[in-house]
Amino acid sequence: MKKITKYIIIEAIGPFIAGVLFFTFIFVIQLLPELFKLIINNGAPIKISLEVFVYMLPFNVAITIPMSILMASIMGYGRLSSDNEIIVMRALGFSHMRIYIPIIILGVLTFFFSLFFNNVIMSESNYRYRALISYMINMRPSIAVGKLDFTYISDMGLSIGAEYSDNNGMSNVVIFDGTSESKRVITAKSGIWHNNEANSRVITLTLSDGIVQEMPYFGIVSNDFSVFDSMDINIIRRVSTLSSHERGLRELPAWKIHEKIENTKAQASNSIESQINNMIINSYSNIADNSVKNLESFSNEYLNTNSTELKDMMKKGMESSVPYFYYVEFHKFISIPDTASL
C-alpha cells in the first residue's frame, strides 16, 4: 500500500517541479523588460535593481504553485492511464479513492507550504520591495518616473508623471504640487535632470515651455495661469539609507490583518457606545419630568425602550467600520490555493 502511494507521488513530483520552473520562467520573462528599463533607461544601480527583481519573484511563485500542482496531477495520472497502470491497480482491488489519495496528500502539503509562503515570505518580500523602491526614488527620482505613470516624491510633496522618461530627461511632463496652500499643477513640454547622481544632495529638474495653474482647495477653479519658458525645481534628498515604512495590507501576514480588523471593530464599538451615551445624556438633560430621579435609572429605561434601534445602529456601524478590502486581503492569504487539483 505504501509503495503504491510513494510510486504515484514520485510520478507527480517531476511534473510539479517542472511546472514551477516553467511557469515561474514565463512570469519572470515579463519582469525582465522592467529590470532592463531600470538599469539602462533610468540609470538605477545594478545591485539595487537585482534586489528589486528578487523581491518581485515570491509574488509570482505564489501563483505558480497551485498551477503546478494541477499540472502534476493531470500529467502524472495521464501517464499512469496511458500505460494502463490505473486499470491494473483497479484489477488488484484498489478503489478510486485509494488511487487518488497520493495526489490529495501532495495537494495538502503544498497548501500548507503556500499558507506559510504567502503569509511569511511573500509579505516580507512585498515590504522590502516597497521600501527599496522608496529608497531608490529618494536616491534618484528619475529612476521611478515611468511612462504615463505618476511617482510621488515624499521629500518635496511632488507627484511627477511624463509621457516618456529616462535618466536624462522627460517629455510632456505633468507635476502636481501639494505643498502650497493652493494646489499647483505644472505642465511642460520637456524636462531635463541635472546633477542626477546617487550621491547628490540636491537634484534639479529644469522644465521648458510650460504652464502653472493654481488649484484652490474649495470653490470654483479659475482659468488664471502663468506661462514660463524655463523653470527649475530643486529636489533636496533627505533619505540616504534604506528606511522603514508602515506596512500595507499586502505586507502583513493573515493574523496581523485579522488583528487590524479586530482593532478597527473595537475602535468603532467604542465610538458608537460614546455616541449612545451622549444621546442618553442629551435626552436626560432635556426632560422636565421630576419622576426620573437619577441618570442611571433613566439610562436603563432608555436602553430598554430603544433597544431595537440601538442594536441596528450598532450593527450598521460595525459593518461599515472595516473597509471591504481588509477582508479581501485577509481571505487571499487563508484561501486554499490548490482546490482545483483536489
Side-chain angles (χ1 to χ4, degrees):
M1 298 289 285
K2 292 183 178 179
K3 289 183 179 180
I4 292 295
T5 301
K6 183 178 179 181
Y7 176 73
I8 295 177
I9 290 178
I10 291 176
E11 192 67 34
I13 285 293
F16 174 73
I17 296 175
V20 171
L21 295 177
F22 173 75
F23 290 122
T24 302
F25 174 76
I26 294 298
F27 285 111
V28 166
I29 287 295
Q30 301 177 15
L31 301 178
L32 289 179
E34 294 297 325
L35 178 64
F36 293 146
K37 179 179 180 295
L38 283 175
I39 297 174
I40 299 174
N41 289 353
N42 294 23
I46 296 179
K47 180 181 177 181
I48 296 180
S49 299
L50 291 176
E51 287 184 41
V52 171
F53 179 75
V54 170
Y55 291 144
M56 294 169 69
L57 290 179
F59 175 78
N60 298 301
V61 173
I63 300 175
T64 60
I65 289 176
M67 296 170 63
S68 300
I69 195 66
L70 175 61
M71 175 179 170
S73 61
I74 293 174
M75 293 187 64
Y77 283 99
R79 211 279 307 167
L80 293 175
S81 178
S82 64
D83 292 345
N84 297 321
E85 294 185 33
I86 292 181
I87 296 177
V88 174
M89 293 179 191
R90 290 289 293 147
L92 293 174
F94 292 107
S95 64
H96 286 293
M97 180 57 66
R98 180 65 190 83
I99 295 174
Y100 294 119
I101 277 179
I103 199 65
I104 293 175
I105 294 174
L106 185 61
V108 170
L109 292 176
T110 54
F111 159 66
F112 284 109
F113 174 77
S114 296
L115 200 63
F116 166 79
F117 186 88
N118 293 349
N119 281 279
V120 178
I121 298 177
M122 190 174 72
S123 59
E124 184 64 25
S125 69
N126 289 343
Y127 171 75
R128 297 193 178 192
Y129 169 78
R130 192 156 71 97
L132 194 59
I133 288 294
S134 177
Y135 168 64
M136 291 172 66
I137 293 174
N138 286 281
M139 180 184 68
R140 187 182 294 171
S142 63
I143 291 176
V145 178
K147 181 180 180 181
L148 302 177
D149 191 17
F150 279 92
T151 299
Y152 179 70
I153 302 176
S154 58
D155 283 353
M156 300 296 293
L158 301 176
S159 294
I160 303 177
E163 183 178 358
Y164 174 80
S165 174
D166 57 26
N167 191 39
N168 297 318
M170 300 177 288
S171 63
N172 294 330
V173 186
V174 179
I175 298 177
F176 179 72
D177 183 4
T179 58
S180 58
E181 293 183 358
S182 59
K183 306 289 186 179
R184 288 197 309 164
V185 177
I186 305 171
T187 58
K189 290 185 178 180
S190 63
I192 299 176
W193 297 102
H194 298 286
N195 206 26
N196 185 30
E197 301 296 334
N199 296 322
S200 301
R201 298 300 300 174
V202 179
I203 298 175
T204 302
L205 174 61
T206 301
L207 303 176
S208 302
D209 298 329
I211 297 173
V212 180
Q213 184 172 12
E214 301 290 336
M215 306 285 290
Y217 281 102
F218 303 100
I220 300 175
V221 178
S222 66
N223 292 324
D224 296 335
F225 58 87
S226 58
V227 181
F228 62 86
D229 293 328
S230 179
M231 173 187 289
D232 289 339
I233 298 178
N234 294 321
I235 301 174
I236 303 174
R237 292 177 56 244
R238 297 187 179 92
V239 179
S240 57
T241 58
L242 183 60
S243 59
S244 60
H245 63 273
E246 184 179 356
R247 289 178 180 261
L249 292 179
R250 294 190 177 183
E251 301 163 358
L252 293 172
W255 55 87
K256 289 292 184 181
I257 298 177
H258 183 266
E259 181 180 336
K260 200 176 185 69
I261 292 173
E262 293 302 319
N263 290 338
T264 303
K265 286 183 176 180
Q267 293 175 2
S269 178
N270 293 334
S271 177
I272 295 172
E273 288 178 0
S274 177
Q275 293 179 27
I276 294 174
N277 290 334
N278 291 333
M279 291 167 58
I280 294 174
I281 293 174
N282 291 334
S283 298
Y284 180 76
S285 61
N286 292 331
I287 63 172
D289 188 358
N290 295 328
S291 63
V292 180
K293 296 182 179 180
N294 55 58
L295 178 60
E296 183 177 357
S297 60
F298 176 81
S299 175
N300 293 331
E301 182 180 352
Y302 185 92
L303 293 174
N304 293 330
T305 305
N306 302 281
S307 59
T308 303
E309 292 80 1
L310 294 178
K311 286 181 180 178
D312 290 340
M313 177 181 174
M314 178 70 73
K315 181 180 179 180
K316 292 179 180 179
M318 295 295 291
E319 289 176 351
S320 61
S321 63
V322 181
Y324 76 94
F325 53 83
Y326 277 37
Y327 295 104
V328 172
E329 295 299 331
F330 175 72
H331 288 291
K332 276 184 181 178
F333 283 115
I334 68 171
S335 59
I336 300 177
D338 302 322
T339 304
S341 67
L342 301 181

